[in-house]
Amino acid sequence: MNQQSTPIISPVVQPARDSSIGGLLLESGKISPENAERVLRMQKELGMRFGEAAMRLGLITEEDIQQVLARQFDYPYLLQGESKYANELVAAYKPFSQQVEQLRAVRSQLMLRWFARGRKALAVVGINPGDGASLFAANLAIVFSQLGEKTLLVDANLRTPKQQQIFNIQSRQGLSDMLAGRAGHDSIAKIESFVALSVLGAGTLPPNPQELLSRASFAGLGNELEANFDVVLYDTPSFSMGSDALAVAARVGGVLLVARKNHTQVADIHAMQEQMAHSGAEVVGSVLVDF
């Protein structure tokens, strides 16, 4: 009886990823291997850290150091001019600024007052067009993802959507196509520059946005999304544009109101709060933006 020889399988060993400051600077192309040797020599001679030596030689900037430190701690951010996303994403480009500290304070309040209660979804609603609610929602989604929460930003503005442009999403299909049964979950775009951020664009602009958002399929889709993500934020049309925001709020249950300093009228805020309460949605909080 002939015996078949047993194949010998040699495992392929992948080299460990170098997460040191020097390794990350090399990987990102901030310094060349030749310059790295210069840095190492200075580091040894003067007994300083790699990053300090590289800065002393004029090879990198303090911003370069901050960026690789953020990558070491899974807290990525971007450099302006080196990314395809909108410059107004301050949470991505200036995560250590006072403006973003305020965003993180809003995030903390929402975690305590809403998401800690077992809720997973929240609608971000402005009073009037131009109040900055879409940009605020985008930045808020980024700071939630920086916390390590698996975050989904849904562009539920089926009239004048903004998120596809803000995040430079190429897919033409999105929420409206999913609600019409013409697209699946592959319409959700993973934002690769961040650890835990995804965006679902508005998709094809429909002739009947309010009817689409009022369908039972919207509630069913919302349940599916909440099963797969820790935080789901909905960017809606402004309140003054019609009843779309009310339809989303009624489904989600919670609203973060965005008002613009010196533009939004107090009477409009009160009117919106009353109508949200009648729809069964809770106004979890409000923010005042100034730009």
Side-chain angles (χ1 to χ4, degrees):
M1 186 179 194
N2 294 330
Q3 291 185 335
Q4 292 183 337
S5 60
T6 302
I8 299 174
I9 302 175
S10 299
V12 176
V13 179
Q14 297 289 342
R17 182 176 181 271
D18 187 355
S19 60
S20 66
I21 291 289
L24 290 173
L25 287 169
L26 274 169
E27 180 186 312
S28 62
K30 296 296 181 183
I31 60 173
S32 65
E34 294 77 13
N35 284 333
E37 292 181 3
R38 293 173 57 201
V39 176
L40 289 169
R41 284 196 296 271
M42 176 177 278
Q43 182 185 18
K44 186 175 181 180
E45 290 170 4
L46 302 181
M48 59 175 54
R49 295 178 178 178
F50 187 96
E52 293 171 336
M55 287 181 62
R56 177 81 66 91
L57 288 169
L59 300 173
I60 60 172
T61 65
E62 176 65 30
E63 194 170 35
D64 293 328
I65 290 292
Q66 291 294 337
Q67 191 174 39
V68 295
L69 281 172
R71 290 180 62 189
Q72 277 189 323
F73 290 92
D74 286 334
Y75 191 73
Y77 72 99
L78 310 175
L79 294 179
Q80 283 186 322
E82 297 183 7
S83 172
K84 59 186 179 180
Y85 308 123
N87 290 331
E88 293 82 1
L89 292 176
V90 292
Y93 295 113
K94 300 177 181 178
F96 311 113
S97 65
Q98 182 60 37
Q99 191 175 1
V100 181
E101 283 296 332
Q102 294 171 351
L103 267 169
R104 284 192 279 268
V106 173
R107 179 190 67 189
S108 297
Q109 288 292 323
L110 292 174
M111 290 294 291
L112 291 170
R113 299 172 59 183
W114 186 248
F115 295 104
R117 291 159 52 185
R119 309 304 293 261
K120 283 193 169 186
L122 183 70
V124 180
V125 183
I127 300 291
N128 300 303
D131 280 349
S134 293
L135 270 175
F136 184 85
N139 280 291
L140 186 63
I142 290 173
V143 295
F144 268 109
S145 73
Q146 289 170 339
L147 189 64
E149 298 291 321
K150 192 177 179 184
T151 304
L152 174 65
L153 175 60
V154 179
D155 196 339
N157 186 341
L158 304 185
R159 298 177 187 270
T160 54
K162 300 288 195 306
Q163 301 304 336
Q164 186 164 338
Q165 180 180 358
I166 291 172
F167 287 98
N168 194 26
I169 298 171
Q170 300 303 312
S171 173
R172 295 183 179 181
Q173 292 189 313
L175 175 62
S176 64
D177 305 283
M178 294 179 72
L179 293 177
R182 297 189 291 107
H185 285 245
D186 55 353
S187 298
I188 298 174
K190 179 77 172 66
I191 308 301
E192 298 298 339
S193 300
F194 298 93
V195 176
L197 178 62
S198 298
V199 175
L200 175 59
T204 307
L205 295 187
N208 56 339
Q210 185 181 345
E211 286 75 17
L212 271 181
L213 295 171
S214 300
R215 287 181 182 176
S217 58
F218 181 53
L221 175 60
N223 292 332
E224 292 176 19
L225 298 177
E226 290 174 35
N228 291 306
F229 291 90
D230 301 316
V231 172
V232 182
L233 299 177
Y234 289 87
D235 175 22
T236 77
S238 59
F239 178 72
S240 65
M241 293 282 289
S243 300
D244 297 18
L246 285 173
V248 177
R251 154 67 191 94
V252 172
V255 173
L256 178 66
L257 188 157
V258 179
R260 185 177 176 186
K261 186 177 181 180
N262 299 327
H263 285 75
T264 306
Q265 300 294 318
V266 174
D268 293 337
I269 294 175
H270 290 322
M272 174 180 165
Q273 289 176 322
E274 289 182 8
Q275 291 201 43
M276 287 294 174
H278 287 314
S279 72
E282 177 182 345
V283 178
V284 180
S286 61
V287 294
L288 184 67
V289 298
D290 185 16
F291 59 93

